[in-house]
Amino acid sequence: MLGFLFGRQTGLDDPLRLKRAESTRRALCLELNPDRNVERIHGNGINTIDIEVIEGRYMLSGGADGVVVIYDLENHSRKPHYTCKAVCTVGRSSRHVHKFSVETVQWYPHDTGMFISSSFDKTMKVWDTETLKLLLYFPCLFLLWNCNVYLVPLNHLHCLPSVGTKNPKVQLCDLKSGSCIQVLQGHRGEVLSVKWSPRYEYILATASTDSSVRLWDVRRASGSLFTLDQFNGDPSKSSSEAANTAHNGRVNGLCFTGDGLFLLTTGTDDRMRLWETATGKNTLVNYGKVVNESRKGLKFAVSQGCSLEFAFVPCGSSVAVYAVHSGELVTMLKGHYSNVDCCEFHPDYQELYSGGKDSNILAWIPTPRPPDIEEEQDSKKVCLSVIFL
């Protein structure tokens, strides 16, 4: 630490180097914190959580009971031991509550005044955060597995929720008109996961039960850009594109790296793969066996702001932490009593929140940095000087 500070002070090192080094250390030292609890509200398993990026203070959760909860993560008591309280709840008493399991919740990207939820009741709903009133209602003819809103800065051009359903067609919805404005066709099975690229606002990735992952440019009407091939076949051969597979089973998880240059996918073949988003090339990073028994979308996370990138993947009742570019299994975070269904990384504080079928949300917090040798010696000198005085 002192070396980084000296390098920053003398101008020998980039100021961001210290921040990235400390962020990496914190991401590698996550442990279950006994002093921080998250209030238990859900009566059944927790399927999805999301932390807003404006303040990094509020967290959404959606459960199998159809309930949506907003938590305040800030410590108002200033005491070491505290509980993150539920600020408000869309519970069973609300006439607009989802009738069945909530599969996705997400904050509106530009502010915390709105959020979106989708459910097995074949609806996607847009809510006013302050009043918890229903603003928009998107009915679907098929079960909704996943929806994703493009997470962008204010100066970008669109904010289209993309919706994956039991139908092979992917729908793009317009929040202004309240209707579906575009349909993407190409998959031959249910679409379990959809993700917008954080780098290019018109690039969308979709994963399906037909073992394929497709990347789309939504400005084009001619179909997907390409279909990912685990064997790195020739992408120019359109005849073979229909046979390309990303996994040997259902593909139920997608996550872009923070810079959008790579895409991680998970499948029920117990494999995780890393792809170059520009070329669709399989990087062939070997993560070993990544146990994946989920028949729904798997919601995993990738660290941000670190020198090295790490993937946090639900694996049974644990969360497996992998080094993204080397494939190394760093550690297993154990604390849930049942299967973990979702996790969310907090980039501001390098914290991780996970939700599982045990109805608990657990907070994984970095361990404090041990004091440097120089600091220990200085403290001893101070103590000795006080004694002699």
Side-chain angles (χ1 to χ4, degrees):
M1 174 64 76
L2 294 179
F4 282 118
L5 290 173
F6 178 77
R8 179 179 178 180
Q9 183 179 4
T10 57
L12 296 176
D13 284 338
D14 187 333
L16 288 177
R17 190 180 172 203
L18 171 60
K19 179 181 178 182
R20 289 171 180 163
E22 179 61 14
S23 297
T24 303
R25 184 202 69 82
R26 290 172 61 86
L28 286 171
C29 298
L30 292 175
E31 64 176 17
L32 187 61
N33 192 334
D35 293 328
R36 186 183 307 186
N37 299 317
V38 179
E39 186 177 2
R40 182 167 175 166
I41 301 294
H42 293 280
N44 288 313
I46 296 166
N47 297 325
T48 174
I49 52 180
D50 186 44
I51 300 173
E52 49 88 13
V53 297
I54 305 300
E55 300 177 72
R57 174 178 172 179
Y58 297 104
M59 179 174 69
L60 281 168
S61 70
D65 53 3
V67 174
V68 177
V69 183
I70 301 177
Y71 295 95
D72 187 349
L73 302 180
E74 190 169 304
N75 182 7
H76 296 283
S77 67
R78 304 302 177 188
K79 297 179 181 179
H81 183 86
Y82 71 99
T83 299
C84 300
K85 295 290 187 180
V87 178
C88 51
T89 303
V90 183
R92 306 310 303 178
S93 59
S94 171
R95 64 190 183 96
H96 298 300
V97 68
H98 285 289
K99 296 179 181 178
F100 302 119
S101 174
V102 176
E103 293 302 306
T104 307
V105 290
Q106 187 176 352
W107 289 102
Y108 184 65
H110 302 329
D111 61 59
T112 58
M114 286 198 313
F115 65 90
I116 294 175
S117 63
S118 67
S119 168
F120 275 175
D121 61 8
K122 304 179 183 179
T123 63
M124 183 179 72
K125 298 179 178 181
V126 183
W127 305 84
D128 183 301
T129 306
E130 185 174 352
T131 63
L132 292 185
K133 290 183 178 179
L134 190 63
L135 299 178
L136 284 174
Y137 170 87
F138 294 90
C140 295
L141 297 177
F142 303 93
L143 287 178
L144 269 75
W145 292 116
N146 190 252
C147 75
N148 183 237
V149 184
Y150 184 43
L151 192 61
V152 294
L154 286 171
N155 60 344
H156 281 250
L157 301 179
H158 75 77
C159 189
L160 300 176
S162 55
V163 180
T165 69
K166 201 167 184 178
N167 185 278
K169 300 176 183 178
V170 179
Q171 302 178 39
L172 302 184
C173 302
D174 182 17
L175 295 181
K176 294 181 179 179
S177 64
S179 61
C180 175
I181 61 170
Q182 190 173 351
V183 175
L184 307 177
Q185 302 186 56
H187 284 295
R188 302 185 305 278
E190 305 170 19
V191 179
L192 297 180
S193 185
V194 292
K195 285 288 181 183
W196 289 101
S197 165
R199 189 178 187 90
Y200 305 107
E201 62 251 39
Y202 295 107
I203 300 300
L204 176 70
T206 59
S208 171
T209 58
D210 61 9
S211 304
S212 71
V213 175
R214 291 176 178 264
L215 265 68
W216 313 77
D217 185 336
V218 297
R219 297 169 298 180
R220 294 178 36 166
S222 58
S224 59
L225 290 174
F226 47 76
T227 304
L228 301 183
D229 182 14
Q230 60 181 306
F231 304 110
N232 283 333
D234 188 353
S236 64
K237 296 181 179 179
S238 58
S239 60
S240 63
E241 186 176 350
N244 289 350
T245 58
H247 290 265
N248 295 323
R250 301 155 63 98
V251 189
N252 62 354
L254 295 171
C255 190
F256 283 94
T257 55
D259 55 13
L261 296 177
F262 295 91
L263 174 68
L264 277 165
T265 63
T266 58
T268 54
D269 56 356
D270 293 337
R271 290 289 180 266
M272 182 164 67
R273 294 193 167 92
L274 181 68
W275 311 82
E276 295 178 0
T277 54
T279 63
K281 179 183 177 182
N282 182 3
T283 61
L284 302 178
V285 175
N286 183 14
Y287 298 96
K289 184 177 181 179
V290 182
V291 177
N292 183 352
E293 299 175 351
S294 176
R295 297 189 61 81
K296 303 187 296 182
L298 187 70
K299 300 169 180 68
F300 63 103
V302 174
S303 65
Q304 297 181 34
C306 303
S307 300
L308 301 173
E309 291 178 305
F310 303 98
F312 304 92
V313 185
C315 188
S317 60
S318 306
V319 178
V321 183
Y322 292 93
V324 169
H325 295 284
S326 68
E328 177 189 358
L329 176 60
V330 178
T331 187
M332 298 287 287
L333 304 178
K334 299 181 179 181
H336 283 278
Y337 297 109
S338 188
N339 284 358
V340 182
D341 285 330
C342 57
C343 53
E344 183 75 11
F345 185 77
H346 198 316
D348 295 343
Y349 306 111
Q350 294 78 48
E351 300 170 349
L352 183 74
Y353 292 85
S354 61
K357 286 184 169 60
D358 56 5
S359 304
N360 291 321
I361 298 178
L362 299 184
W364 307 88
I365 311 300
T367 56
R369 169 182 283 277
D372 289 332
I373 297 176
E374 291 87 347
E375 293 176 359
E376 290 182 346
Q377 291 175 348
D378 291 342
S379 63
K380 289 179 181 179
K381 290 178 181 178
V382 171
C383 291
L384 288 173
S385 62
V386 170
I387 290 173
F388 286 115
L389 286 173

